[in-house]
Amino acid sequence: MIHPTAIIDPKAELDSTVQVAPYAVIGADVKIGANTTIGSHTVIEGPIEIGCDNQIFPGSALGLAPQDLKYKGAKSLVKIGDRNVIREYVTVNRATGEGETTIIGNDNLLMAYVHVAHNCILHDRIVIANSVAIAGHVEIESKAVIGGMLGIHQFVKIGTMAMLGGMSRIDRDVPPYMLVEGNPSHVRSLNLVALKRNNFSSEQVSLLKKAYKILYRSKLTVNQALEELQPLTDNEQIKHLVEFIRASANDSGRRGLINAK
């Protein structure tokens, strides 16, 4: 299961079912779960924990030190969950501060040349196309789809089931369920494809369409629109949308919202 040309530190902990291809390099403080495959010429440095049933393709570099001038050698971590597909030459950096963690959840697809910087949090079932650069402290909620060859600014948050069009510049928060595209980027519409794929009922879709019109097609301010939406927050999706937008608009630690066009 482990090719004789692979170099594995004796302190690394690999499940007996892990497969390691030729010329891979695995350092100390690395834990890899069952049925995970490690492609040739992959470099994995610890501290890093990788779960079960992951496919890591050739040339990936996981768990290396962050590309952050503030980093002074603190012991930080990468945690990768289960059933992720990490394609060729993906890079995932450790967090910057002592005890901090860069997190990738479960069932994600990271296509070739994706970069995940320090302190990012990627939830579950996210698709990220080729050559996407994700700066530090970015959070991407579950089921988002990120188009190819785009950049995401540090401290940005991407909402669940959002779709980001390829070659866009994402420098502010993207609300859940929205389709965003352009340079500069704007909210273009609801991501109706995602709603359909996730079996949203006609009632749920109608409510989100109403919310979209209040937020982006009325002349209300953000706070006025949120007040207008408050009676609809018995619906789980509307509640999440309102909470996301309120936090983005009012939290000084956030970069604010991408506008509509």
Side-chain angles (χ1 to χ4, degrees), residues 118-153:
H118 59 89
N119 296 86
C120 286
I121 300 174
L122 276 59
H123 292 251
D124 305 325
R125 297 178 62 189
I126 298 163
V127 176
I128 305 178
N130 299 282
S131 302
V132 170
I134 305 173
H137 300 274
V138 167
E139 182 174 0
I140 305 177
E141 294 183 344
S142 297
K143 303 180 183 178
V145 176
I146 315 298
M149 302 179 69
L150 62 75
I152 303 178
H153 197 285

Side-chain angles (χ1 to χ4, degrees), residues 190-203:
L190 273 177
N191 186 11
L192 294 172
V193 172
L195 304 185
K196 181 178 179 180
R197 287 177 177 171
N198 287 277
N199 300 314
F200 276 48
S201 68
S202 57
E203 180 184 0

